[in-house]
Amino acid sequence: RWGIVVGDVSGKGINVAADTAKVKYLLRDRAYNRLSPGDVLASINNTLVKQQASRFTALTYGVYHPETATLILANAGNPYPYFTQGNQFIKLTAVPISIFADQPYPTVEIKFEPGDTLLLYTDGLSEARKEKEFYGMEGVSRFVVKNDEMELNELLAGLVDDARSFSGNNLTDDTLVMGLRKT
């Protein structure tokens, strides 16, 4: 099994780095207990709420099973993941981590076929803007549909470059893009 994580802690500076480390170690601890991705997020959330964390964290966590080519995924506040099978956004999200206690974090199971790609990304990509227009889900979908035959690393870099170009070379937030492709 492989764990897949995309996170974005609110704010900037040294305190954000400390909070990022805290979330990382909580996630690692919970993942080793073989909890479902939704239960991992709920456990981290409740711990941080009890500690009265001052920042929220958008966090996506999944467990990929290579023998069955399935991914169990939970999402707390990051944009909807994009799946090339059917060119669709997986409408899965919940409240970011450390805002409210006892939040449910639903999961979805995604079955990969050869050539399928799943893209996970932070809001720095979808919120790239040109004046009042956002790159958004439309920009993600448009770029991936047009360039799905690219190697995965080229697709990811090209997606960020496309958002950067759209915004006039002015990405104003941290941008992380991760992809998983079944060969």
Side-chain angles (χ1 to χ4, degrees):
R1 301 178 334 148
W2 300 347
I4 298 165
V5 180
V6 171
D8 187 7
V9 178
S10 64
K12 297 186 184 316
I14 193 73
N15 291 333
V16 172
D19 288 345
T20 300
K22 184 185 299 184
V23 170
K24 172 186 170 183
Y25 291 112
L26 286 170
L27 187 123
R28 183 176 287 170
D29 175 67
R30 296 338 191 257
Y32 282 128
N33 289 323
R34 294 189 176 257
L35 299 172
S36 76
D39 290 342
V40 167
L41 295 185
S43 177
I44 294 168
N45 177 64
N46 286 338
T47 298
L48 293 174
V49 168
K50 285 178 190 169
Q51 293 176 356
Q52 299 180 335
S54 60
R55 290 177 179 72
F56 69 87
T57 301
L59 190 62
T60 305
Y61 173 58
V63 176
Y64 182 72
H65 300 267
E67 66 281 352
T68 61
T70 57
L71 175 72
I72 309 298
L73 189 67
N75 184 19
N78 275 319
Y80 294 145
Y82 183 79
F83 192 43
T84 60
Q85 187 184 97
N87 293 315
Q88 62 180 316
F89 287 90
I90 297 172
K91 304 225 168 141
L92 175 70
T93 196
V95 176
I97 300 296
S98 77
I99 296 178
F100 303 112
D102 302 321
Q103 288 297 300
Y105 292 95
T107 61
V108 66
E109 182 174 313
I110 301 165
K111 174 74 171 152
F112 285 78
E113 298 297 332
D116 288 344
T117 303
L118 179 75
L119 298 177
L120 305 171
Y121 52 94
T122 59
D123 64 356
L125 180 75
S126 55
E127 292 178 0
R129 71 174 83 188
K130 173 173 49 177
E131 298 175 13
K132 294 182 180 180
E133 182 183 357
F134 288 98
Y135 187 72
M137 293 170 37
E138 298 80 17
V140 172
S141 176
R142 181 178 51 249
F143 183 83
V144 175
V145 167
K146 184 178 174 184
N147 298 289
D148 190 37
E149 297 301 317
M150 286 182 166
E151 292 294 322
L152 184 57
N153 61 341
E154 293 171 351
L155 181 70
L156 299 176
L159 184 57
V160 173
D161 287 344
D162 191 56
R164 183 178 291 116
S165 176
F166 174 86
S167 70
N169 205 29
N170 188 28
L171 293 179
T172 59
D173 195 5
D174 298 338
T175 302
L176 172 66
V177 180
M178 177 185 286
L180 181 64
R181 178 176 285 164
K182 170 108 169 84
T183 56

